[in-house]
Amino acid sequence: METFARIAGTGSYLPERCVTNDDLAKLVDTNDEWIVSRTGIRMRHYAAEEQSASDLAVFACQRAMKAARVDAGDIDLIIVATSTPDMVFPSTACILQDKLGVKEAIAFDVQAVCAGFVYALATADKFIRTGAAKCALVVGAEVFSRILNWQDRSTCVLFGDGAGAVVLKASKEPGILSTHLHADGSYRGALCTPGTVQNGAVRGNPVLAMEGSTVYKFAVKAFEDLAWEALHANGLQPEAIDWFVCHQANQRIIMHAAKRLAFPDEKVVVTVDRHGNTSAASVPLALDVAVREGKIKPGQTVLMAALGGGFAWGAALVKW
Ligand code: UT7
């Protein structure tokens, strides 16, 4: 009998410090009207100086494990999607494993920037379907506030920090119906933080740079293509989707893609207004908010889609 991977619980965490657009207007030449009208973002959270991605992830995982009614002894796989890891190595997943008190598990990071959570979910799905794991923590955790260029108002206002997690369990009932991953490295310069650590110093630009309009145009088309790819793979039409959980970078991009797919506004989960763009954490954060607000319910069909630096992009179609 076939084995599937099902999402058994979700959790998320936002650091305490909440920063509004008006707060940012005191630091850079911007204003609430521009940020809201261009992006839909009203606030974002920033981690405290001593908080790392794994610290945010611990809270998100504990909440997801509680929701899934599993404890540390049940977890046999941890995948963390992050572009702002705690350190060069070991992986944030290994640090998280230790902080959660998980003794025996496979643990590694996935680097696909804003598409990281979907990449991690697709990877964990394959571990579970093949029997290599039975109970996985799939996490997106980011502290993007650490890699922002405060001289660049077109990017520094967009991002926030946070973490989201799901517990994925082996099941005889279908959960993750299909996943679809893509990458095109010829776009690597359009969205990047190219700095590296070399000979004891940072070499290259260690802050985020983005060609906003290139990403915008590519993203809208990619989300539309991803949705059709996932629908066709499962013999479904757009009406079958109960919830569209898209990467939360810009409300205009999300609604533009949803419109092209004829998804009604009430089926679209939007958290970018409250979270900003939290990169790999954005999809699991949005999922958790939608579950806890009583929107996503058992038996419903959820389409997740994300795109980020690389470019790397992907989708997951999930029966809840
Ligand atoms: O997570 C990865 C995925 N990332 C994304 O999906 C982001 C995709 N891109 C975008 O969301 C949009 O391109 C942005 C929100 C980044 C920019 O929006 P836009 O409508 O493309 O604005 P723009 O870059 O064309 O800038 C328009 C104007 C410029 O002024 P001029 O040259 O027309 O006088 C900018 O200097 O807005 C100005 N501007 C700002 N003004 C006030 C740029 N940033 C700001 C700001 N506050 N923060």
Side-chain angles (χ1 to χ4, degrees):
M1 204 179 175
E2 199 175 347
T3 300
F4 300 95
R6 276 187 80 84
I7 293 179
T10 65
S12 63
Y13 176 75
L14 291 162
E16 223 169 276
R17 187 173 160 218
C18 179
V19 177
T20 64
N21 295 343
D22 287 338
D23 293 332
L24 284 182
K26 292 175 196 147
L27 298 173
V28 289
D29 180 16
T30 189
N31 57 76
D32 182 62
E33 197 279 326
W34 190 95
I35 301 173
V36 172
S37 64
R38 301 290 176 129
T39 71
I41 298 168
R42 293 179 185 276
M43 62 189 80
R44 73 288 289 143
H45 292 250
Y46 291 157
E49 212 172 313
E50 66 282 2
Q51 276 182 315
S52 61
S54 69
D55 292 320
L56 310 189
V58 166
F59 292 120
C61 289
Q62 286 169 339
R63 289 170 184 173
M65 287 162 70
K66 191 171 176 210
R69 296 192 186 88
V70 300
D71 59 35
D74 298 314
I75 304 297
D76 56 9
L77 170 66
I78 300 173
I79 308 182
V80 175
T82 186
S83 297
T84 46
D86 288 19
M87 48 186 77
V88 173
F89 71 80
S91 68
T92 302
C94 283
I95 298 168
L96 176 64
Q97 176 189 10
D98 184 46
K99 289 183 178 175
L100 286 171
V102 174
K103 294 293 173 216
E104 267 289 320
I106 303 161
F108 60 93
D109 289 359
V110 159
Q111 161 60 295
V113 203
C114 303
F117 178 76
V118 174
Y119 264 66
L121 194 69
T123 308
D125 177 49
K126 283 161 182 60
F127 269 83
I128 288 181
R129 278 179 189 254
T130 57
K134 290 197 165 46
C135 186
L137 271 172
V138 185
V139 190
E142 301 280 17
V143 283
F144 257 55
S145 62
R146 307 271 161 80
I147 56 164
L148 298 178
N149 178 358
W150 296 101
Q151 315 308 320
D152 178 9
R153 65 178 181 169
S154 69
T155 56
C156 70
V157 302
L158 305 176
F159 295 88
D161 303 339
V166 302
V167 172
L168 211 56
K169 278 171 102 172
S171 165
K172 295 297 162 202
E173 297 290 317
I176 296 180
L177 300 175
S178 65
T179 56
H180 309 272
L181 303 181
H182 300 272
D184 183 348
S186 69
Y187 285 94
R188 68 191 188 279
L191 177 50
C192 55
T193 301
T196 57
V197 176
Q198 202 170 308
N199 299 325
V202 174
R203 188 192 153 115
N205 186 4
V207 290
L208 185 147
M210 175 168 76
E211 292 166 20
S213 64
T214 307
V215 183
Y216 192 112
K217 283 180 215 142
F218 196 98
V220 172
K221 171 91 168 59
F223 292 141
E224 187 185 0
D225 291 349
L226 281 167
W228 282 116
E229 187 182 353
L231 288 166
H232 286 152
N234 292 278
L236 298 173
Q237 290 299 315
E239 305 80 74
I241 302 301
D242 293 300
W243 294 104
F244 180 43
V245 184
C246 191
H247 172 47
Q248 305 286 314
N250 183 327
Q251 191 163 350
R252 282 166 62 215
I253 296 178
I254 300 169
M255 300 323 285
H256 199 149
K259 197 167 169 214
R260 285 163 75 149
L261 289 155
F263 292 150
D265 291 1
E266 55 276 15
K267 289 187 172 185
V268 181
V269 175
V270 175
T271 52
V272 68
D273 54 333
R274 292 166 268 174
H275 301 168
N277 180 349
T278 58
S279 189
S282 99
V283 168
L285 260 163
L287 274 181
D288 187 49
V289 167
V291 168
R292 286 174 198 266
E293 285 179 351
K295 289 179 172 164
I296 298 178
K297 296 190 192 70
Q300 291 189 322
T301 304
V302 179
L303 175 65
M304 302 171 210
L307 173 133
F311 292 149
W313 64 103
L317 194 69
V318 175
K319 180 67 88 182
W320 211 261

